[in-house]
Amino acid sequence: MQDRDLGGVARDINRIVDQNRKHLPRGSQLFVRGQIETMRTSFQGLLSGLVLAIVLVYLLIVVNFQSWLDPFIILTSLPAALAGIVAALFVWHTTLSVPALMGAIMSVGVATANSILVISFAKEDLALHGDPVRAALEAGFTRFRPVLMTAGAMIIGMVPMALGLGEGGEQNAPLGRAVIGGLIFATVATLFFVPTVFSLLHRRYQEKDAR
C-alpha cells in the first residue's frame, strides 16, 4: 500500500469487501471505517461547498447587475477553470485530494472576479455606444493587463507550493497545481471566450428587441 493514493487503496478494499458480503451471516453488515470514511466526507463537503459557492456567486451577481444574462456570461469562464484544474493534475500526475479541491475553489473565485472586471466594463461601453461587438473588443483590450496581472501574480505565488519543495511540501502541492492550471485556462477564457459570448448574446438580445 506504500506510495499509493488513498482513493486507489479504497477501491481495492471496497472490491474485496463487496466480494465477501455474500459470506456474511444473515443480518450482519460490514462497514469500512478510518481514513477512507474521512476522505469521502471531506470530498462530499468540499464538492457541495464548490457548487454552493458558484450558485451564491451567481445570485449575488444577479442582484448587483440587475440581470440574469450577464451573470451567466460571467460564469462561462468556470468550465475552462475546471478543465484547467483537471489538466494540471493530470500533467503533474497528481490525484484528486482535499487540497486540490481547495485550490479549485480558490481558482474559481479569482476567475469569477476577473470575468466580472471584463463584463462590467463591457456593459458600460455597451450603454455608451450600443454595439455589443465593439463593447466586447474594447473590454478585452482594456482589461487585458489588469486580468493578466491578477492571474499572473496568483500563479507565480503558487509555483513554490506546486513544486512541493521542502519537508512535507508534497501535501500542499495539489492546491498550488490546481490553482495554476485553473487560472491559466480561466484567464484565456476570460480574455477571449467571455467577451465573445457577451457580444453574441447581447447582439441576439438586441435583434430580438428590434423585432
Side-chain angles (χ1 to χ4, degrees), residues 27-112:
S28 300
Q29 293 182 339
L30 183 61
F31 299 96
V32 179
R33 301 292 187 184
Q35 294 184 2
I36 295 176
E37 185 181 14
T38 304
M39 178 191 68
R40 288 175 178 167
T41 304
S42 301
F43 275 15
Q44 291 174 358
L46 285 172
L47 286 173
S48 301
L50 179 61
V51 173
L52 181 62
I54 293 173
V55 173
L56 291 178
V57 165
Y58 177 76
L59 295 177
L60 182 62
I61 301 172
V62 167
V63 174
N64 188 32
F65 279 80
Q66 296 294 310
S67 167
W68 292 96
L69 179 62
D70 292 318
F72 170 77
I73 298 172
I74 289 170
L75 295 185
T76 54
S77 65
L78 297 189
L82 297 177
I85 292 166
V86 173
L89 295 179
F90 177 79
V91 169
W92 262 300
H93 303 286
T94 305
T95 57
L96 186 64
S97 60
V98 172
L101 289 177
M102 293 174 63
I105 295 175
M106 293 174 61
S107 62
V108 163
V110 177
T112 304

Side-chain angles (χ1 to χ4, degrees), residues 135-150:
L137 288 173
E138 290 188 359
F141 282 113
T142 304
R143 297 305 185 189
F144 183 85
R145 182 178 296 178
V147 169
L148 208 60
M149 289 177 63
T150 302

